[in-house]
Amino acid sequence: MDVNPIPRSTAVSDAVFARFVEEILTGRWPAGEPVPSERELALAWQVNRHAVREALKRVQQAGLVRISHGGKTRVPDWRRHAGLDVLSALASTGAVPPVEVLADVAVMRRSVAADAARLCAQRADEQQVAAVVAAARAYPDSLDLAAVAAADLEFWTAVIEGAGNLAYRLALNTLVAAIAEVGAETIAALNAAEVTDRAAHLGLAEAIAARDAEAAGRQAAELLSRFVDACALRAGKE
């Protein structure tokens, strides 16, 4: 392997993990091929073997390598074996065009959020409903995209907390990270029609407070479809 030192601008273990992900997702380490040994990587990246070993464990947990006892560590097809936690890496490395990642994330976000709104109307306790209503009422009537984007995240976090679904809560974290990797300016331009609509957020909160699960799910899907449509148009998926 060629010597290509890891930058020291971040924690060594994080930087090594990021390099692993980059090598795999960009195809420089093709599916089916063995990963270089810990010793080779430590020498090439100018880091200690412990950092390589710890990063390799994280890469394995993400489904990006498979380690066989007594055998080689190999790269599987990440499309078949990786988890949602590689979404942000896909966007940051360019292994998949960021706008395509964003379009797919937008569709998943709509599906998760619409069902979360429905579940919130059914399951949320009074304190959780009050949190949703409060987030909607505090929503700024503004065209300041940074302010409304922050309010939008607070609103949807309250909705998903009220849904009582742990998988949805963790998915929210993943989706937020993936969206962040694409870039704030790109997101703001595509998502303006959704996040600046205070009335739609208030209406959705009212449906949840009224325990109207059907209306909550429908209104959530309609609201988030704006971002889906904008992303699909940008990615050429329409």
Side-chain angles (χ1 to χ4, degrees):
M1 292 183 66
D2 294 332
V3 175
N4 187 6
I6 293 286
R8 293 302 194 271
S9 57
T10 57
V12 174
S13 59
D14 291 340
V16 174
F17 173 73
R19 181 66 64 83
F20 264 115
V21 171
E22 181 180 3
E23 296 294 319
I24 294 168
L25 295 184
T26 57
R28 288 197 288 268
W29 291 350
E33 292 297 311
V35 172
S37 70
E38 290 180 7
R39 180 178 177 277
E40 291 174 312
L41 292 173
L43 288 172
W45 295 344
Q46 299 290 285
V47 296
N48 63 65
R49 291 181 65 174
H50 176 73
V52 173
R53 189 175 302 117
E54 290 303 309
L56 190 57
K57 290 178 182 177
R58 292 172 61 187
V59 176
Q60 182 186 22
Q61 291 169 352
L64 293 176
V65 297
R66 285 188 168 181
I67 303 174
S68 57
H69 294 292
K72 293 283 188 180
T73 298
R74 294 186 180 274
V75 178
D77 181 350
W78 59 262
R79 289 182 180 273
R80 291 178 176 269
H81 299 284
L84 279 175
D85 48 352
V86 305
L87 274 174
S88 58
L90 285 172
S92 63
T93 62
V96 174
V99 71
E100 292 187 15
V101 175
L102 185 60
D104 291 344
V105 165
V107 172
M108 182 178 177
R109 174 176 176 262
R110 178 178 61 185
S111 299
V112 169
D115 194 51
R118 180 184 65 81
L119 291 174
C120 185
Q122 292 176 333
R123 298 177 175 178
D125 59 32
E126 293 307 312
Q127 184 175 358
Q128 290 169 326
V129 170
V132 172
V133 172
R137 289 177 177 170
Y139 208 93
D141 187 9
S142 170
L143 295 180
D144 181 341
L145 292 181
V148 292
D152 183 71
L153 178 58
E154 183 174 350
F155 174 81
W156 284 110
T157 299
V159 171
I160 289 177
E161 291 283 2
N165 185 301
L166 179 59
Y168 282 178
R169 185 64 185 86
L170 297 179
L172 174 65
N173 298 338
T174 299
L175 296 180
V176 168
I179 287 173
E181 287 290 349
V182 176
E185 292 183 2
T186 300
I187 301 302
L190 292 171
N191 205 21
E194 175 191 320
V195 298
T196 57
D197 193 339
R198 182 174 186 270
H201 287 78
L202 284 167
L204 176 53
E206 290 173 2
I208 290 172
R211 303 293 184 175
D212 189 338
E214 182 179 350
R218 182 182 67 254
Q219 290 180 35
E222 290 172 355
L223 176 59
L224 273 65
S225 287
R226 303 177 194 182
F227 188 42
V228 171
D229 293 344
C231 291
L233 185 62
R234 179 74 174 269
K237 291 193 173 187
E238 283 193 336

